[in-house]
Every structure is written in C-alpha cells, then in structure tokens.
Amino acid sequence: MAAERFARSVGSTDREFWAGATVNAAGILLRRGEDHIWALRARGLVFAARGMPQRGLPDLRKAASLLAEKGLADARVEAGLGHLQLVREDHLAARRHLERAVALDPSLAAAWSDLGLASLMAGQTTAASSAFGRALQLEPNLVTARYN
C-alpha cells in the first residue's frame, strides 16, 4: 500500500511520507527474509524516483537478478535502472535498460522520456525525437519530454 501511495502522491510532504513508509516497509521485509523481490523493487524505485543512484542501483540490480532467475523481467525495474544510470550520466547503460523497459511496457511515458534523453546524449537526435514524441503522446504534460 505504501508503494502504491508513493506512486500516486502529488504534494512533496505527502510524497516524502509515503517514500519513507515504503522504504521502512521494504526494510522490515528484507530483515525478516520475506518477499525479497518486492521489497528490493519497491525500495529501489523510491530511490530511483528521488534520484539516489548509490541507494537505488544495488536494490534494483538485485531485484532484476532475482527476477531473471525466475525467467521474469519487470518494466519498472528496468526503467528505474535506466533513470539512475542517467543520473550517473552513463547514457549507454541507461539506454540498454530503458529500451528493455519500453519493450516490456510501451505505456511508460517517463521511460520514453528518459530514453529520449539517453539517445540525445549519444548524439542520436532522430531516436531522441521519436522517444520524446512517444512520451508526449502518452503524457502530454510531461515537462522533461516537452523541454527536451
């Protein structure tokens, strides 16, 4: 519930509260040895949303690895990994994850926007324009995509 409320929160105070609640709930599950994939995913996505690569990358990498062991992949995990690689200014690693994310779930506007930015950083203006356009089709008020 905390992770869902964080994802839907709008105001900064509300968002901070639900971010903390999600991180705390995930930490409890991890200490108890329960639901590792969900806990790592939820905590990593909160850190990704807050632009904290040192904290988010290890969680999301581990979640992706555990999912892969089960033959699964998660678009949000890949999008989070891609976003955090962009924060670290590693556009090549970011593109790999973001391309996987939009292949798994083409409706992720923020992932399309991040893919546009990663493509732009790689000098691929046509791919960047296409990705930004797709992001804006999905979410017309996405400021990052519109600005870029």
Side-chain angles (χ1 to χ4, degrees):
M1 177 193 77
E4 289 174 20
R5 295 289 297 267
F6 171 74
R8 290 190 317 236
S9 59
V10 178
S12 61
T13 303
D14 196 38
R15 192 159 175 78
E16 284 300 311
F17 174 81
W18 290 111
T22 302
V23 169
N24 288 339
I28 290 167
L29 288 172
L30 290 169
R31 284 190 297 279
R32 293 182 60 156
E34 297 178 24
D35 213 357
H36 274 88
I37 295 172
W38 179 89
L40 291 165
R41 178 185 184 274
R43 191 169 70 178
L45 290 174
V46 166
F47 292 140
R50 298 174 83 204
M52 302 170 72
Q54 292 82 359
R55 305 222 31 213
L57 282 171
D59 284 352
L60 291 175
R61 284 180 178 143
K62 182 66 177 174
S65 174
L66 292 170
L67 285 164
E69 287 174 13
K70 295 176 179 276
L72 302 170
D74 182 285
R76 299 228 359 181
V77 168
E78 293 298 330
L81 285 164
H83 179 74
L84 290 175
Q85 293 294 0
L86 272 179
V87 170
R88 293 179 62 202
E89 297 182 13
D90 185 348
H91 64 276
L92 295 176
R95 284 192 66 210
R96 284 191 309 271
H97 291 291
L98 293 163
E99 286 170 350
R100 275 187 240 147
V102 298
L104 290 165
D105 184 353
S107 71
L108 293 176
W112 281 107
S113 180
D114 281 349
L115 180 57
L117 185 54
S119 298
L120 193 60
M121 291 171 70
Q124 298 176 333
T125 55
T126 302
S129 179
S130 177
F132 288 135
R134 181 69 179 129
L136 290 170
Q137 284 176 342
L138 294 166
E139 196 173 318
N141 295 323
L142 190 59
V143 175
T144 307
R146 184 158 306 284
Y147 173 78
N148 284 299

